[in-house]
Amino acid sequence: MVKVAVLGAAGGIGQPLSLLLKLNANIKELSLFDVVNVPGVGADLSHINSDATTETHLPSSKEDKTALLTALKGANLVIIPAGVPRKPGMTRDDLFNINASIIKSLAEGIAQSSPDAFVLVISNPVNSTVPIVAETLKKHGVYNPSKLFGVTTLDIVRANTFIAQLYPTDSKPTDFNVNVIGGHSGETIVPLYSVGSTGKLYEKLSEEQKKTLINRVQFGGDEVVQAKNGAGSATLSMAYAGYRLAESILKSLTSSEEVVECTFLNLVPEIKGAEEAKKLVGGLDYFSLPVKLGKNGIEEVKYEILTKISDDEKKLLEVAKEQLAKNIEKGVSFATQ
Ligand code: NAI
């Protein structure tokens, strides 16, 4: 039975994500933090007759740090969807200037109040915000790389749905669990359709269809941004995806079943398989890969998948690596300045 804190709980993602968490029987306390509107969200959720209790924390002013620290006190899992989303024509990197400072201050709160928590970063640009959280926790001497997760699950969710849509009579989206590796923005997103559950169906596609499918996974977020026409980016599908990763982490705490998810992680020697992965991705310090989850977080990086990919996927990886290096560096230098 755990305490989960959602930072940015009153937002487009925060609200439906908190709803899903409120329904999880393993969660004892749901702690909701935002800089606006959060008391209303909490009051609303608190009427649901599931067992998790709901508490809300709203700072009384810009200087008030106590609300955040109280929200985080004793949290086992912290999920961060705080920050601004994209508008049409924006890339995730365009959000950096605003979201980097928000993430840094929230990570400082985590370092002080819940240094042992699992931390799931949804706020974009994930390729840079995850290094910011890592460096901030390092500065405070409380960094545990096995417990830091960049949430890329929406890319997997989209990859499963989009291939199923191409084979409506032979498949359904729940048949698949595509490994999507690299990062979480445009060309850094690399779906590995050639391996695993989708291999045979993918092979049947023409070269043009393959290209279109991969492009749709890489830029699927734009479909939602355009359809929302200035009112934000993916929120409901993102809440589902963030919940899926949180649920998998909670499952790995309570069951002996092997749980594997893709996540954007820090490739450090303490994590089994991370050094091998790092060599295979050209020395990058962060990368999204399938990982085995356990009671202490990320137990093992399933790097072997990198040795099984097609030549076309290798080419996609080369492009991804180049962009990722810049995104990672941007996050690290912001946090260490
Ligand atoms: P939103 O604007 O609807 O909600 C963000 C919430 O964060 C607002 O309630 C706002 O008050 C709050 N907030 C701002 N500063 C804060 C602070 N210092 N502390 C706590 N809360 C704060 O935005 P939405 O649509 O919920 O998106 C949130 C973030 O998630 C964006 O950065 C977006 O780009 C990202 N995102 C990530 C995805 C992923 O796959 N990882 C997918 C979709 C969105």
Side-chain angles (χ1 to χ4, degrees), residues 1 25 42 50 73 78 91 97-98 118 120 132 139 173 189 201 207 209 212 216 230 233 241 252 277 324 330 333 335:
M1 297 293 268
S50 61
K73 193 100 212 135
V78 179
T91 67
N97 289 343
I98 301 174
F118 292 86
L120 279 60
I132 292 174
K139 240 187 216 173
I189 300 170
L201 289 178
E207 286 312 304
Q209 283 175 312
T212 307
R216 195 171 176 211
S233 58
S252 69
L324 262 176
K330 195 168 174 181
S333 55

PDB file of all heavy atoms in Angstrom, residues 1 25 42 50 73 78 91 97-98 118 120 132 139 173 189 201 207 209 212 216 230 233 241 252 277 324 330 333 335:
ATOM      1  N   MET A   1       0.851  -1.191   0.000  1.00  0.00           N
ATOM      2  CA  MET A   1       0.000   0.000   0.000  1.00  0.00           C
ATOM      3  C   MET A   1       0.883   1.237   0.000  1.00  0.00           C
ATOM      4  O   MET A   1       1.663   1.452   0.928  1.00  0.00           O
ATOM      5  CB  MET A   1      -0.896  -0.003   1.245  1.00  0.00           C
ATOM      6  CG  MET A   1      -1.852  -1.174   1.286  1.00  0.00           C
ATOM      7  SD  MET A   1      -3.103  -1.070  -0.025  1.00  0.00           S
ATOM      8  CE  MET A   1      -4.398  -0.201   0.834  1.00  0.00           C
ATOM      9  N   ALA A  25      -6.171  -0.302  -6.361  1.00  0.00           N
ATOM     10  CA  ALA A  25      -6.338  -0.845  -5.000  1.00  0.00           C
ATOM     11  C   ALA A  25      -5.022  -0.878  -4.214  1.00  0.00           C
ATOM     12  O   ALA A  25      -5.047  -0.998  -2.985  1.00  0.00           O
ATOM     13  CB  ALA A  25      -6.933  -2.233  -5.083  1.00  0.00           C
ATOM     14  N   GLY A  42      -9.266  17.632  -6.183  1.00  0.00           N
ATOM     15  CA  GLY A  42      -9.195  16.698  -5.047  1.00  0.00           C
ATOM     16  C   GLY A  42     -10.560  16.444  -4.435  1.00  0.00           C
ATOM     17  O   GLY A  42     -10.913  15.295  -4.133  1.00  0.00           O
ATOM     18  N   SER A  50     -13.512   4.554  -3.792  1.00  0.00           N
ATOM     19  CA  SER A  50     -12.384   3.604  -3.813  1.00  0.00           C
ATOM     20  C   SER A  50     -11.577   3.869  -2.541  1.00  0.00           C
ATOM     21  O   SER A  50     -11.792   4.891  -1.880  1.00  0.00           O
ATOM     22  CB  SER A  50     -11.529   3.818  -5.064  1.00  0.00           C
ATOM     23  OG  SER A  50     -11.002   5.124  -5.065  1.00  0.00           O
ATOM     24  N   LYS A  73       5.940  14.441   1.116  1.00  0.00           N
ATOM     25  CA  LYS A  73       6.403  13.738   2.335  1.00  0.00           C
ATOM     26  C   LYS A  73       5.907  12.288   2.332  1.00  0.00           C
ATOM     27  O   LYS A  73       4.717  12.016   2.253  1.00  0.00           O
ATOM     28  CB  LYS A  73       5.880  14.485   3.567  1.00  0.00           C
ATOM     29  CG  LYS A  73       6.531  14.069   4.844  1.00  0.00           C
ATOM     30  CD  LYS A  73       7.615  15.063   5.242  1.00  0.00           C
ATOM     31  CE  LYS A  73       8.739  14.375   5.978  1.00  0.00           C
ATOM     32  NZ  LYS A  73      10.049  14.756   5.541  1.00  0.00           N
ATOM     33  N   VAL A  78       6.332   9.270  -7.390  1.00  0.00           N
ATOM     34  CA  VAL A  78       5.999  10.653  -7.749  1.00  0.00           C
ATOM     35  C   VAL A  78       5.862  10.722  -9.277  1.00  0.00           C
ATOM     36  O   VAL A  78       6.759  10.279  -9.996  1.00  0.00           O
ATOM     37  CB  VAL A  78       7.118  11.630  -7.295  1.00  0.00           C
ATOM     38  CG1 VAL A  78       6.765  13.063  -7.696  1.00  0.00           C
ATOM     39  CG2 VAL A  78       7.353  11.530  -5.803  1.00  0.00           C
ATOM     40  N   THR A  91       7.635  22.398 -31.368  1.00  0.00           N
ATOM     41  CA  THR A  91       8.262  21.104 -31.079  1.00  0.00           C
ATOM     42  C   THR A  91       8.327  20.971 -29.560  1.00  0.00           C
ATOM     43  O   THR A  91       8.118  21.946 -28.835  1.00  0.00           O
ATOM     44  CB  THR A  91       9.702  21.025 -31.633  1.00  0.00           C
ATOM     45  OG1 THR A  91      10.497  21.969 -30.892  1.00  0.00           O
ATOM     46  CG2 THR A  91       9.761  21.333 -33.113  1.00  0.00           C
ATOM     47  N   ASN A  97      12.363  26.176 -22.295  1.00  0.00           N
ATOM     48  CA  ASN A  97      12.613  27.357 -21.454  1.00  0.00           C
ATOM     49  C   ASN A  97      11.694  27.441 -20.250  1.00  0.00           C
ATOM     50  O   ASN A  97      12.123  27.818 -19.167  1.00  0.00           O
ATOM     51  CB  ASN A  97      12.512  28.634 -22.286  1.00  0.00           C
ATOM     52  CG  ASN A  97      13.690  28.732 -23.223  1.00  0.00           C
ATOM     53  OD1 ASN A  97      14.694  28.035 -23.031  1.00  0.00           O
ATOM     54  ND2 ASN A  97      13.565  29.542 -24.258  1.00  0.00           N
ATOM     55  N   ILE A  98      10.428  27.099 -20.425  1.00  0.00           N
ATOM     56  CA  ILE A  98       9.490  27.173 -19.301  1.00  0.00           C
ATOM     57  C   ILE A  98       9.591  25.916 -18.433  1.00  0.00           C
ATOM     58  O   ILE A  98       9.720  25.994 -17.204  1.00  0.00           O
ATOM     59  CB  ILE A  98       8.035  27.328 -19.814  1.00  0.00           C
ATOM     60  CG1 ILE A  98       7.917  28.591 -20.670  1.00  0.00           C
ATOM     61  CG2 ILE A  98       7.042  27.356 -18.652  1.00  0.00           C
ATOM     62  CD1 ILE A  98       6.586  28.768 -21.335  1.00  0.00           C
ATOM     63  N   PHE A 118      10.141   6.499  -6.377  1.00  0.00           N
ATOM     64  CA  PHE A 118      10.238   6.294  -7.821  1.00  0.00           C
ATOM     65  C   PHE A 118       9.759   7.605  -8.457  1.00  0.00           C
ATOM     66  O   PHE A 118       8.744   8.150  -8.012  1.00  0.00           O
ATOM     67  CB  PHE A 118       9.288   5.184  -8.276  1.00  0.00           C
ATOM     68  CG  PHE A 118       9.666   3.827  -7.786  1.00  0.00           C
ATOM     69  CD1 PHE A 118       9.266   3.368  -6.538  1.00  0.00           C
ATOM     70  CD2 PHE A 118      10.417   2.980  -8.593  1.00  0.00           C
ATOM     71  CE1 PHE A 118       9.620   2.105  -6.092  1.00  0.00           C
ATOM     72  CE2 PHE A 118      10.775   1.716  -8.147  1.00  0.00           C
ATOM     73  CZ  PHE A 118      10.372   1.278  -6.893  1.00  0.00           C
ATOM     74  N   LEU A 120       8.588   9.469 -11.976  1.00  0.00           N
ATOM     75  CA  LEU A 120       8.177   9.291 -13.373  1.00  0.00           C
ATOM     76  C   LEU A 120       7.985  10.674 -14.000  1.00  0.00           C
ATOM     77  O   LEU A 120       7.121  11.443 -13.571  1.00  0.00           O
ATOM     78  CB  LEU A 120       6.845   8.526 -13.446  1.00  0.00           C
ATOM     79  CG  LEU A 120       6.899   7.001 -13.310  1.00  0.00           C
ATOM     80  CD1 LEU A 120       7.481   6.551 -11.996  1.00  0.00           C
ATOM     81  CD2 LEU A 120       5.508   6.410 -13.484  1.00  0.00           C
ATOM     82  N   ILE A 132      17.636  16.684 -16.256  1.00  0.00           N
ATOM     83  CA  ILE A 132      17.538  17.766 -15.262  1.00  0.00           C
ATOM     84  C   ILE A 132      17.211  17.180 -13.881  1.00  0.00           C
ATOM     85  O   ILE A 132      17.834  17.543 -12.877  1.00  0.00           O
ATOM     86  CB  ILE A 132      16.464  18.812 -15.663  1.00  0.00           C
ATOM     87  CG1 ILE A 132      16.923  19.577 -16.909  1.00  0.00           C
ATOM     88  CG2 ILE A 132      16.161  19.777 -14.517  1.00  0.00           C
ATOM     89  CD1 ILE A 132      15.888  20.537 -17.483  1.00  0.00           C
ATOM     90  N   LYS A 139      23.001  16.568  -7.233  1.00  0.00           N
ATOM     91  CA  LYS A 139      23.491  17.729  -6.492  1.00  0.00           C
ATOM     92  C   LYS A 139      23.161  17.621  -5.015  1.00  0.00           C
ATOM     93  O   LYS A 139      23.922  18.065  -4.161  1.00  0.00           O
ATOM     94  CB  LYS A 139      22.814  18.993  -7.049  1.00  0.00           C
ATOM     95  CG  LYS A 139      23.750  20.008  -7.595  1.00  0.00           C
ATOM     96  CD  LYS A 139      22.982  21.276  -7.940  1.00  0.00           C
ATOM     97  CE  LYS A 139      23.556  21.910  -9.186  1.00  0.00           C
ATOM     98  NZ  LYS A 139      22.773  23.030  -9.666  1.00  0.00           N
ATOM     99  N   PRO A 173      -5.397  -4.025 -31.174  1.00  0.00           N
ATOM    100  CA  PRO A 173      -4.247  -3.319 -30.573  1.00  0.00           C
ATOM    101  C   PRO A 173      -3.639  -4.060 -29.380  1.00  0.00           C
ATOM    102  O   PRO A 173      -2.434  -3.998 -29.154  1.00  0.00           O
ATOM    103  CB  PRO A 173      -4.844  -1.982 -30.123  1.00  0.00           C
ATOM    104  CG  PRO A 173      -6.077  -1.800 -30.940  1.00  0.00           C
ATOM    105  CD  PRO A 173      -6.581  -3.154 -31.291  1.00  0.00           C
ATOM    106  N   ILE A 189      12.282   9.032 -31.646  1.00  0.00           N
ATOM    107  CA  ILE A 189      11.385   7.906 -31.325  1.00  0.00           C
ATOM    108  C   ILE A 189      11.601   6.807 -32.375  1.00  0.00           C
ATOM    109  O   ILE A 189      11.371   7.031 -33.560  1.00  0.00           O
ATOM    110  CB  ILE A 189       9.909   8.373 -31.340  1.00  0.00           C
ATOM    111  CG1 ILE A 189       9.677   9.479 -30.295  1.00  0.00           C
ATOM    112  CG2 ILE A 189       8.960   7.198 -31.131  1.00  0.00           C
ATOM    113  CD1 ILE A 189       8.306  10.171 -30.392  1.00  0.00           C
ATOM    114  N   LEU A 201       3.694  -9.303 -39.372  1.00  0.00           N
ATOM    115  CA  LEU A 201       2.757  -8.380 -40.038  1.00  0.00           C
ATOM    116  C   LEU A 201       3.518  -7.223 -40.680  1.00  0.00           C
ATOM    117  O   LEU A 201       3.186  -6.762 -41.775  1.00  0.00           O
ATOM    118  CB  LEU A 201       1.733  -7.830 -39.032  1.00  0.00           C
ATOM    119  CG  LEU A 201       0.691  -8.817 -38.520  1.00  0.00           C
ATOM    120  CD1 LEU A 201      -0.218  -8.135 -37.506  1.00  0.00           C
ATOM    121  CD2 LEU A 201      -0.145  -9.384 -39.662  1.00  0.00           C
ATOM    122  N   GLU A 207       7.307  -0.903 -48.647  1.00  0.00           N
ATOM    123  CA  GLU A 207       8.285   0.053 -48.099  1.00  0.00           C
ATOM    124  C   GLU A 207       7.608   1.380 -47.749  1.00  0.00           C
ATOM    125  O   GLU A 207       7.889   1.997 -46.728  1.00  0.00           O
ATOM    126  CB  GLU A 207       9.421   0.306 -49.103  1.00  0.00           C
ATOM    127  CG  GLU A 207      10.410  -0.848 -49.233  1.00  0.00           C
ATOM    128  CD  GLU A 207      10.901  -1.382 -47.889  1.00  0.00           C
ATOM    129  OE1 GLU A 207      11.428  -0.576 -47.095  1.00  0.00           O
ATOM    130  OE2 GLU A 207      10.746  -2.590 -47.617  1.00  0.00           O
ATOM    131  N   GLN A 209       4.403   1.854 -46.974  1.00  0.00           N
ATOM    132  CA  GLN A 209       3.553   1.688 -45.778  1.00  0.00           C
ATOM    133  C   GLN A 209       4.391   1.688 -44.498  1.00  0.00           C
ATOM    134  O   GLN A 209       4.001   2.248 -43.478  1.00  0.00           O
ATOM    135  CB  GLN A 209       2.773   0.368 -45.861  1.00  0.00           C
ATOM    136  CG  GLN A 209       1.580   0.411 -46.795  1.00  0.00           C
ATOM    137  CD  GLN A 209       0.934  -0.957 -46.924  1.00  0.00           C
ATOM    138  OE1 GLN A 209       1.606  -1.969 -47.150  1.00  0.00           O
ATOM    139  NE2 GLN A 209      -0.386  -0.990 -46.787  1.00  0.00           N
ATOM    140  N   THR A 212       5.389   5.251 -43.689  1.00  0.00           N
ATOM    141  CA  THR A 212       4.243   6.028 -43.190  1.00  0.00           C
ATOM    142  C   THR A 212       3.938   5.634 -41.747  1.00  0.00           C
ATOM    143  O   THR A 212       3.653   6.497 -40.898  1.00  0.00           O
ATOM    144  CB  THR A 212       3.002   5.770 -44.086  1.00  0.00           C
ATOM    145  OG1 THR A 212       3.388   6.024 -45.422  1.00  0.00           O
ATOM    146  CG2 THR A 212       1.838   6.656 -43.709  1.00  0.00           C
ATOM    147  N   ARG A 216       4.197   7.981 -38.468  1.00  0.00           N
ATOM    148  CA  ARG A 216       3.003   8.249 -37.667  1.00  0.00           C
ATOM    149  C   ARG A 216       3.298   8.064 -36.167  1.00  0.00           C
ATOM    150  O   ARG A 216       2.814   8.825 -35.334  1.00  0.00           O
ATOM    151  CB  ARG A 216       1.870   7.307 -38.110  1.00  0.00           C
ATOM    152  CG  ARG A 216       0.571   7.778 -37.584  1.00  0.00           C
ATOM    153  CD  ARG A 216      -0.636   7.053 -38.120  1.00  0.00           C
ATOM    154  NE  ARG A 216      -1.794   7.591 -37.421  1.00  0.00           N
ATOM    155  CZ  ARG A 216      -2.886   6.919 -37.137  1.00  0.00           C
ATOM    156  NH1 ARG A 216      -3.007   5.670 -37.540  1.00  0.00           N
ATOM    157  NH2 ARG A 216      -3.871   7.488 -36.464  1.00  0.00           N
ATOM    158  N   GLY A 230      -4.788  24.353 -30.610  1.00  0.00           N
ATOM    159  CA  GLY A 230      -4.383  25.399 -29.668  1.00  0.00           C
ATOM    160  C   GLY A 230      -4.763  25.094 -28.229  1.00  0.00           C
ATOM    161  O   GLY A 230      -4.338  25.795 -27.308  1.00  0.00           O
ATOM    162  N   SER A 233      -2.017  19.380 -25.951  1.00  0.00           N
ATOM    163  CA  SER A 233      -1.555  18.161 -26.628  1.00  0.00           C
ATOM    164  C   SER A 233      -2.262  16.965 -26.000  1.00  0.00           C
ATOM    165  O   SER A 233      -3.252  17.117 -25.291  1.00  0.00           O
ATOM    166  CB  SER A 233      -0.027  18.066 -26.540  1.00  0.00           C
ATOM    167  OG  SER A 233       0.414  18.065 -25.201  1.00  0.00           O
ATOM    168  N   ALA A 241      -1.291   6.157 -20.635  1.00  0.00           N
ATOM    169  CA  ALA A 241       0.079   5.634 -20.781  1.00  0.00           C
ATOM    170  C   ALA A 241       0.877   5.805 -19.486  1.00  0.00           C
ATOM    171  O   ALA A 241       1.593   4.897 -19.054  1.00  0.00           O
ATOM    172  CB  ALA A 241       0.778   6.350 -21.938  1.00  0.00           C
ATOM    173  N   SER A 252       5.391  -4.637  -9.960  1.00  0.00           N
ATOM    174  CA  SER A 252       6.705  -5.239  -9.700  1.00  0.00           C
ATOM    175  C   SER A 252       7.057  -5.179  -8.208  1.00  0.00           C
ATOM    176  O   SER A 252       7.916  -5.922  -7.737  1.00  0.00           O
ATOM    177  CB  SER A 252       7.779  -4.560 -10.538  1.00  0.00           C
ATOM    178  OG  SER A 252       7.983  -3.250 -10.079  1.00  0.00           O
ATOM    179  N   ALA A 277      24.390  -1.585 -23.068  1.00  0.00           N
ATOM    180  CA  ALA A 277      23.477  -0.744 -23.856  1.00  0.00           C
ATOM    181  C   ALA A 277      24.178   0.530 -24.307  1.00  0.00           C
ATOM    182  O   ALA A 277      24.098   0.935 -25.464  1.00  0.00           O
ATOM    183  CB  ALA A 277      22.243  -0.406 -23.029  1.00  0.00           C
ATOM    184  N   LEU A 324      19.409  13.140 -29.877  1.00  0.00           N
ATOM    185  CA  LEU A 324      19.346  12.862 -28.440  1.00  0.00           C
ATOM    186  C   LEU A 324      20.548  13.438 -27.699  1.00  0.00           C
ATOM    187  O   LEU A 324      20.407  13.993 -26.608  1.00  0.00           O
ATOM    188  CB  LEU A 324      19.343  11.344 -28.214  1.00  0.00           C
ATOM    189  CG  LEU A 324      17.983  10.698 -27.992  1.00  0.00           C
ATOM    190  CD1 LEU A 324      18.140   9.194 -27.893  1.00  0.00           C
ATOM    191  CD2 LEU A 324      17.330  11.248 -26.733  1.00  0.00           C
ATOM    192  N   LYS A 330      21.642  19.550 -23.317  1.00  0.00           N
ATOM    193  CA  LYS A 330      20.906  20.771 -22.961  1.00  0.00           C
ATOM    194  C   LYS A 330      20.353  20.652 -21.533  1.00  0.00           C
ATOM    195  O   LYS A 330      20.442  21.600 -20.740  1.00  0.00           O
ATOM    196  CB  LYS A 330      19.757  20.959 -23.961  1.00  0.00           C
ATOM    197  CG  LYS A 330      19.130  22.320 -23.955  1.00  0.00           C
ATOM    198  CD  LYS A 330      18.231  22.467 -25.182  1.00  0.00           C
ATOM    199  CE  LYS A 330      17.461  23.769 -25.133  1.00  0.00           C
ATOM    200  NZ  LYS A 330      16.576  23.926 -26.275  1.00  0.00           N
ATOM    201  N   SER A 333      23.372  20.611 -18.941  1.00  0.00           N
ATOM    202  CA  SER A 333      24.036  21.896 -18.683  1.00  0.00           C
ATOM    203  C   SER A 333      23.101  22.860 -17.974  1.00  0.00           C
ATOM    204  O   SER A 333      23.549  23.646 -17.143  1.00  0.00           O
ATOM    205  CB  SER A 333      24.674  22.493 -19.932  1.00  0.00           C
ATOM    206  OG  SER A 333      23.741  22.603 -20.925  1.00  0.00           O
ATOM    207  N   ALA A 335      20.929  22.078 -15.685  1.00  0.00           N
ATOM    208  CA  ALA A 335      20.849  21.703 -14.267  1.00  0.00           C
ATOM    209  C   ALA A 335      22.166  21.901 -13.525  1.00  0.00           C
ATOM    210  O   ALA A 335      22.175  22.086 -12.311  1.00  0.00           O
ATOM    211  CB  ALA A 335      20.404  20.251 -14.143  1.00  0.00           C
TER     212      ALA A 335
END
